[in-house]
Amino acid sequence: MIIILKQGITPEEKNNVKSVLKENGFIVKEIKGEQDTVLGAVGVARMDPRMIEIMPGVSSVVPISKPYKLASRELKKEDTIVSVGRVKIGGNRIAVIAGPCAVESCDQIMRIAEKVREAGAVVLRGGAYKPRTSPYSFQGLGEEGLKLLRKAGDTFDMPVTTEVVSPRDVEIMKDYIDMFQIGARNMQNFELLKEVGKTGMPVLLKRGLSATIEEWLMAAEYLMASGTDQVVLCERGIRTYEKATRNTLDCSAIPVVQKLTHLPVIGDPSHATGIRDMVSPMALALVAGGASGIMVEVHDHPELALSDGPQSLYPEQFERLMRDIEALAPVVGKAVERMPRLVPSTIMDASAEENDEDASRTIAFQGERGAFSELAVRRVFSEEEKVLPCKEFKDVFDAVASGKAVYGVVPIENTLGGTVFDNYDLLKMEENITVVGEVQVRIIHNLIVNPGVALADVRKVYSHPQGLAQCREFLDKELPDAERIPFFDTAGAVSYLKETGARDAAAIAGSPAAMYNGMEIIRQGIETNARNYTRFFVISREENAATFKSRAHVNRAAVTFNVADRPGSLFQVLDILQKHGMNMKKLESRPILGKPWEYSFFVETELADEDELECLIPMLKESTTSFRVLGTYTAAH
Ligand code: PEP
Ligand code: MN
């Protein structure tokens, strides 16, 4: 059952409730959501729920209807984010696990680890104990394989996962690996599940060859009841009458499972298809279907592989697949997980008056909680970093400049609304602030109301003018008589509706704003044009730029300059770029404040590496009256 606690419950009252449940034989888990805190109580014991409901501090008690309890979405509404080393799986990320089917030798695992890491995999896989259909096939290198996998993971800074086939191996494996893998053949090996669950470590749980979704979730329940809450589910194809592929990939399991459980679900197109050429299209299908990641087998000499060669991608194919996933990610509202950013642990700055110890982990954005800018923040930074919502763009820059926040995220361009000039102007003015990153977010608008309000009740619609404009077709058709009221920002419109409790009004905003405010979405995806993206810059002070960029390949630069008022002066600058093969991606001009009819230019250009730009700076300075690099970063796609 789920025990929903009152917001003002005291620690003593909470402990009392927990003790009574435990005395009655329940396992108790506390789950803190954005809004409520609940206790999940599971076990075989029978108890009249009213006994709990009347206890001080308890708001209500709700039974869990599914046979799996701890794994169920009923118990925990928010997505579970599983941490595998520094890598996170779940939420709005797409995490890619790659490596050979089996660890075969030191050389082999090191070569492949380097290749998959370079292409963008964040977790390294490789079997050391192989569950083979034939006892005469290669069975894996055992502990030697674990050692080699660990070595490759450490060398290339990747957490590692490998399959456990026997309860007796759990103890020795846990010191070598970051995540256990339970293979399809062992999904219902309950003794193994219990032993692995007891470690409390992350587990990748493959779906059994002929397991129903419910059986699969019951296996996850075993792991959770034994002591881990870090479970990632993996759809890897099921046995059907079809013989054309090794198994039949059940893509529809992804959205089904996501509805039923808060645990992340990923897909394995390698074992599902068994055929190299089918792996990449099915990987994309899994991502399109909402998977939180994929696991793929990669081998640089698949013809020599000791197992699963025919389904292993060549490193070049894997690299191409990573690029396709990257392009697809924003369409499904996700970002590909890269090796996590290191946020500097402290900022040494005596000038920052209000600098507290949290500042080094704080990211500033403009808007209220749940705004699209906050979504952009979460695409780049982990949930552990705090956010600082700011009223104006200028406040974001001030927060970063003063050290109140270590990074800021500001919109720079929307595919429908065009350039956000204010932020270019601020970038130009704030000399100590530099662009360090770029992120893209797909803008999906929803009609949001106070719980229980129906479409027919809506007489007024609040949103940012862009939100109203971008949903014009929907409003004309479904709410032609409703008054459209411009608001400061989309998420702010939602919190305003919540405060007023209006029963005759709706707001247009992103889904996080509804979730954050406990409001109801009555229509999803109401924007006229679905190809609606906003590009954001990540900004920081100079001294924190290197930390942000240390793990990514810098391939873009943003610069600003003024030119003299004479023929060909702009051409001269562009000519330098052209002559050095730099592909310009964007050119904007802005009037210079206080100098009527004179203009500043902003250019974004492709870059082979940072040194390329350094060499050109003297030439560019000579051809301009003022020149500044606003920043260098990794392009969002
Ligand atoms: C594997 O991942 O190497 C494996 C054996 O997978 P499955 O258990 O899905 O067959
Ligand atoms: Mn395999």
Side-chain angles (χ1 to χ4, degrees), residues 101 130 271 297 308 311:
C101 178
K130 296 304 300 174
H271 293 88
E297 289 184 342
D308 287 348
Q311 69 193 32

Side-chain angles (χ1 to χ4, degrees), residues 101 125 130-131 163 181 183-185 206 236 271 297:
C101 178
R125 64 150 286 148
K130 296 304 300 174
E163 180 168 350
Q181 179 179 324
R185 288 152 200 84
K206 294 262 193 122
R236 47 78 71 206
H271 293 88
E297 289 184 342

Side-chain angles (χ1 to χ4, degrees), residues 282-300:
M282 289 304 99
L284 295 173
L286 286 159
V287 171
S292 292
I294 55 159
M295 179 190 238
V296 274
E297 289 184 342
V298 178
H299 203 295
D300 55 352

Side-chain angles (χ1 to χ4, degrees), residues 63 125 155 166-167 221 304 354 466 478:
R125 64 150 286 148
T155 309
S166 161
E221 189 75 11
L304 302 177
E354 288 172 77
Q466 282 282 346
E478 303 286 338

Side-chain angles (χ1 to χ4, degrees), residues 588-599:
E588 288 283 358
S589 66
R590 286 286 285 158
I592 301 175
L593 266 175
K595 293 189 178 171
W597 320 123
E598 286 190 36
Y599 298 88

Side-chain angles (χ1 to χ4, degrees), residues 100-102 125-127 129-132 163 181-186 204 206-209 234-237 246-247 268 270-272 295 297 307-308 311:
C101 178
R125 64 150 286 148
Y129 301 90
K130 296 304 300 174
R132 305 305 298 276
E163 180 168 350
Q181 179 179 324
I182 303 277
R185 288 152 200 84
N186 274 312
L204 181 75
K206 294 262 193 122
R207 181 178 180 182
L209 272 78
C234 180
E235 161 60 43
R236 47 78 71 206
R246 182 173 175 182
N247 292 288
D268 169 352
S270 305
H271 293 88
M295 179 190 238
E297 289 184 342
S307 57
D308 287 348
Q311 69 193 32

